[in-house]
Amino acid sequence: MKRRRFPAIILRPVSMGGEAAVIWRRRMSTLGHIPRDTFILLLVIVRLTTAAYADDAPATPRTPTPAPPLHEDSMEQPDGPGMDLAVLSSVIQASLAFLQPRTLDSHTIHDFALWGLNGLSALDPSLSIDEQHGFLQLVATQRTVMALPLPAPDDLPGWSAAITHVLDMAWHHSPAMRDTGQDGVLQGFFDELFNHLDPYSRYIAPGAAVSDRSTRTGGEASAGLTLGLDHDAIIITAVNANGPAWPTSLAAGQIVRAINGRPTASRSLDTVSSWLNGANGSLVRITVESKGRQTTVTLHRASTPPETVFAYTSGKHVILHITAFSANTAEEMSQYLDEAMNVPGISGLIIDLRGNRGGVLQQAVTTSALMLDHGVAAITQGRDPQANHVWAVQGGDMTNGLPIIVMVDGRTASAAEILAAALSDQKRGVVIGSATLGKGLVQTIGQLPNGGELFVTWSRVLAPLGWPLQGLGVMPQVCTSLGESEMERQLQNLAEGTADSRDWVMAARQTRYPVDPSHILGIRKACPAAIGTDSDLDAAHSLLDNPVEYRAALSTIPDEGGVPASGG
């Protein structure tokens, strides 16, 4: 069944991030019979350009003024090319300018510089950096080979010039540095710098950054088809619902006979697959055969984000498996929800977030809005004013209050935890499984002059009721990681109106940042993180089939404003 387009959405950022309005409207196609009018209005208190995985551009680099060294040992310069100092300097300055106002905790440029330069020792153990009597010293084998006056703690041009000068001197002094190459030197600098921050901030080298950007945006333009082999024939095995082939007659199982008139006979699968790719917007003609009849479909190639939502039915329940949150996840989810509401006799939804490592924060918020009438979906807090938002939604539960189960496990993280927490705190769904990963930090992306990227953690995520996701994660209302018999006991007690999870759920909701790690560990011990099993699905079906169980599980969540805060 072909899916309809995303319903019209209005996103309005209000307060906390400044006054702006962004209107996103898409027409909803009318493929097939539309049994009901669908209209969703979201009021999202957010500035869209500053969310998780937002491509924030760094400050325009200024060319730093070189700082003359106080002392340099004379040395023979090695043969071979040196580093590109102009590129090196611009990357260093752009990265320091991007980092300083955005990191969760305040640090001086002096801190960043010294942390990064200490990475020289990892590239060449004979090298080290020292500060003495107001001078920055490069030491090789316990001998000072260079000394520079220390710039002021937040002197961006001065520190950029000093770092560039030290790296250049180390390059000429150390064969190990030259063997590493300029990209390796930068990687070593940033690796050591980010070792002093959180586990998720990082530097992505130019080559890997191109690949990452392609994954986020859809990569090389293609037809949106996956091909495979059936004996000696090349066939279509899948049609990407986000791709240009989806609205056409192309379908899985058809034999591919030609691409742009070139026969596929005797060609390898890789060769034929490559023929489907080309420039964005270019035409590709695909000739297929089905039931002995050949047809040719012409379409425009397009960058196609991978599918992230997969749906199937199980009795009277529809299961929606979300594997990640990419640029199209909310749209895919909307289309599947629209179809799910047409399933005869449907009595509940199961949203499977097990193994979902997260992705784009806005997509998690927008996905939650498809199932919420109103309320806060998440709160983000950071030092940078643009990182502070209350993400609120209003106006359009596509499911008309249909019971929802959210399945999670120890691998559920980031944006997936945001969705689970939003549906749980708003009493819109019951969470089943184990404690989730606990990744409640949001990164913003800075593009660097060399094509590399900085992923910098700049905000913490709080659930709608104010508790932190970082470290704590989402605690389920039905725990399946304690064993089959324990799960059955919980379900039996729910059927009698008693929720065994009430204490650990309330303890999680009372937690406030900052919190002692031992306090978090004590809560998570009640339902330890584990990989999901078939027991999760059994428990989900049980709750949806037994309204008393479902209501008892929902009752573990306190009302908004009714959660007394408790510190660690």
Side-chain angles (χ1 to χ4, degrees), residues 3 8 68 86 205 238 275 323 337 385 408 414:
R3 300 181 295 171
W275 290 351
T323 60
L337 286 174
V408 300
S414 190

Side-chain angles (χ1 to χ4, degrees), residues 15 116 179 195 220 312 328 485 513 545 553:
S15 78
D179 290 343
N195 280 343
E220 185 179 15
Y312 57 98
N328 281 61
S485 60
Y513 180 83
D545 289 336

Side-chain angles (χ1 to χ4, degrees), residues 50-54 102 104 198 200-201 359 361 379-381 387 391 414 418 439-444 455-461 470:
T50 61
Y53 291 1
R102 291 176 173 86
L104 281 179
D198 62 279
Y200 306 106
S201 295
L361 185 150
I379 303 163
T380 54
Q381 296 179 343
W391 300 70
S414 190
I418 290 173
K439 197 273 189 182
L441 300 176
V442 181
Q443 287 73 51
T444 185
F455 278 64
V456 178
T457 296
W458 73 336
S459 63
R460 296 179 176 89
V461 180
Q470 179 61 23

